Amino acid sequence: MTYTVHGRELETDAEGYLLEPDYSDEVVHVIAAADGLTLTEDHWKVVRYLRDEYREQGHTPNFRAMLKGLSDVLPG
């Protein structure tokens, strides 16, 4: 599977994960559209949270840490 963003082909592995991560807004929109999703502001809060965590820590948080972090970002 591949995603096409601005004429550029983004390759994925067998499970659909990008081989070379690019989580720009454009790529996020293309992947969401391929899954039939229309992104809301709450979706974007989650995307921004995960991007920030990856930039700061070098990886995404484990599930427990993610739930704790998201509780600060999303209304309760």
Side-chain angles (χ1 to χ4, degrees), residues 33-67:
D35 287 340
L37 298 173
T38 301
L39 299 174
T40 66
E41 182 54 33
D42 283 343
H43 288 113
W44 283 108
K45 288 176 184 178
V46 173
V47 168
R48 287 189 289 270
Y49 166 77
L50 291 171
R51 281 179 182 159
D52 291 345
E53 285 295 307
Y54 187 82
R55 279 189 208 112
E56 292 171 14
Q57 307 298 325
H59 56 82
T60 55
N62 65 39
F63 190 71
R64 184 174 184 184
M66 181 180 69
L67 290 179

